Amino acid sequence: MPDTCPSAFQTLSVGELAKRAGVAVSALHFYEAKGLIRSLRTEGNQRRYPRGMLRRVAVIKVAQRTGMPLNEIKQALAALPDDRAPSQENWRDLSAAWRDDLDARIRRLTQLRDQLDGCIGCGCLSLTACPLRNPDDALAAQGPGARLLDEI
Amino acid sequence: MPDTCPSAFQTLSVGELAKRAGVAVSALHFYEAKGLIRSLRTEGNQRRYPRGMLRRVAVIKVAQRTGMPLNEIKQALAALPDDRAPSQENWRDLSAAWRDDLDARIRRLTQLRDQLDGCIGCGCLSLTACPLRNPDDALAAQGPGARLLDEI
DNA sequence: GCTTGACCTCAAGTTTGCTTGAGGTTTTAC
DNA sequence: GTAAAACCTCAAGCAAACTTGAGGTCAAGC
């Protein structure tokens, strides 16, 4: 009868959490198996989640959108209270770290885009001069035919 | 005896191509199996690549850096000549399309970053107000306890 | 009180992009 | 002319992030 308690104490079944969080039930099972979330169990062994779990799953989803793999997300979530609302500080630290990750990813992609821009209409992919090519490739400019490599 | 010809006609063994392109031999086998590259064979059934393959592999690597999956890369490469240097036009079309893809990815990540910025120190992840949350989540604001959802 | 839908566990399957290994052949180098 | 290095094919394995399926239990409605 915990479900007759005030809403702050109400629990969610796995199906309810899945629907509200916008993920599949199997994904919640999976997250639990991976240790990203935990569940209480009824006498009949069915999962019940405190409402705060909705937020935790939301945090997982946001982190995934940044491109972070689940095991890193798990590390990050370890800093959050298991089933209670995270403090402002918790969240600030987390989101600031993720922001930096994201920023780095954005910088890498932007650099690549700018290089592509520079190479559109060039098409050289020159072993020695093209910024799109791995710098290590320059090492290959040895032996017979080296004078032609730039044309290849 | 093709290897006694001028360099433009020299071929590369799979090991040479791998080393110069900076990929593993197994990756080249894999690309061939997936139809991204092709190979000539010696009498003894060993792979030989025209030098232009070096560029093709370079193009594959650049495309991968943009985050494009191999099957899309394969589609894109289908527009390029199989073993000869692509025309400036070929390359311009390709790289411009990839640039747009990249740009879209960058925009999505940037938007996410800005949302994170806005939410650092907030931490609400509010079902109804937080831009980080899926808009669909607002639908869940029904039934008993709805007035408290924003606190969860 | 019974049917039906939601749940449970555990194992296996899926996709992407490769790598590793087994068992055997070709080339190259001395 | 032979030993070692490089190559060949095909099958299986790996990691991530889940999904699907089999076989069985729980709970809620009528």
Side-chain angles (χ1 to χ4, degrees):
Chain A
M1 297 73 178
D3 283 24
T4 62
C5 294
S7 63
F9 297 95
Q10 279 181 345
T11 58
L12 299 169
S13 70
V14 70
E16 288 165 342
L17 178 59
K19 186 178 290 182
R20 295 203 172 177
V23 303
V25 169
S26 60
L28 294 176
H29 285 188
F30 181 74
Y31 294 156
E32 183 171 326
K34 290 286 175 181
L36 278 88
I37 64 178
R38 287 201 298 176
S39 58
L40 307 170
R41 298 299 177 112
T42 63
E43 277 191 12
N45 196 35
Q46 297 201 351
R47 291 171 175 82
R48 287 297 179 272
Y49 301 96
R51 287 188 159 273
M53 196 55 76
L54 206 39
R55 177 193 292 270
R56 195 173 175 94
V57 176
V59 171
I60 293 172
K61 289 182 72 185
V62 170
Q64 281 197 301
R65 285 173 60 200
T66 71
M68 184 173 292
L70 283 187
N71 55 45
E72 282 182 39
I73 297 174
K74 180 185 172 179
Q75 301 304 315
L77 286 178
L80 294 187
D82 210 55
D83 52 359
R84 307 185 335 93
S87 70
Q88 293 252 343
E89 203 181 337
N90 287 153
W91 170 247
R92 190 172 52 239
D93 292 350
L94 257 197
S95 53
W98 292 354
R99 202 217 101 105
D100 289 346
D101 264 22
L102 244 188
D103 226 26
R105 191 183 334 278
I106 290 170
R107 271 198 305 277
R108 278 195 301 277
L109 288 180
T110 301
Q111 187 190 1
L112 178 56
R113 180 190 61 188
D114 293 346
Q115 289 173 350
L116 260 183
D117 274 349
C119 290
I120 289 177
C122 156
C124 63
L125 284 179
S126 157
L127 282 172
T128 55
C130 182
L132 284 172
R133 292 293 291 264
N134 197 314
D136 294 329
D137 285 340
L139 294 175
Q142 298 169 345
R147 67 212 157 281
L148 283 178
L149 282 180
D150 280 351
E151 299 170 12
I152 291 166
Chain B
M1 295 69 179
D3 283 23
T4 61
C5 294
S7 64
F9 297 95
Q10 281 180 344
T11 57
L12 299 169
S13 70
V14 70
E16 288 165 342
L17 178 58
K19 186 178 291 182
R20 295 202 173 179
V23 302
V25 169
S26 60
L28 293 176
H29 286 189
F30 182 75
Y31 293 155
E32 183 171 327
K34 290 286 175 182
L36 278 88
I37 64 178
R38 286 201 298 175
S39 59
L40 306 170
R41 298 299 178 114
T42 63
E43 277 191 12
N45 196 36
Q46 297 201 352
R47 291 171 175 83
R48 288 297 179 272
Y49 300 96
R51 287 185 159 276
M53 196 55 76
L54 206 39
R55 179 194 291 267
R56 195 173 175 94
V57 176
V59 170
I60 292 172
K61 289 183 71 185
V62 170
Q64 281 197 300
R65 285 173 62 199
T66 71
M68 183 174 293
L70 284 186
N71 56 45
E72 282 182 39
I73 297 175
K74 181 185 173 181
Q75 301 304 315
L77 287 177
L80 294 186
D82 211 54
D83 51 358
R84 308 186 334 93
S87 70
Q88 293 251 345
E89 203 182 337
N90 285 154
W91 171 247
R92 190 170 53 237
D93 292 350
L94 256 196
S95 52
W98 293 353
R99 201 217 101 105
D100 289 346
D101 264 22
L102 244 189
D103 226 25
R105 193 184 331 282
I106 290 170
R107 270 198 306 276
R108 277 195 300 277
L109 288 180
T110 301
Q111 186 191 2
L112 178 57
R113 180 189 62 187
D114 292 345
Q115 289 173 350
L116 259 184
D117 275 348
C119 290
I120 290 177
C122 155
C124 64
L125 284 179
S126 157
L127 281 173
T128 55
C130 183
L132 285 172
R133 292 291 291 265
N134 197 314
D136 294 329
D137 285 341
L139 294 175
Q142 298 169 343
R147 67 212 159 280
L148 282 176
L149 282 178
D150 279 350
E151 298 170 13
I152 292 164

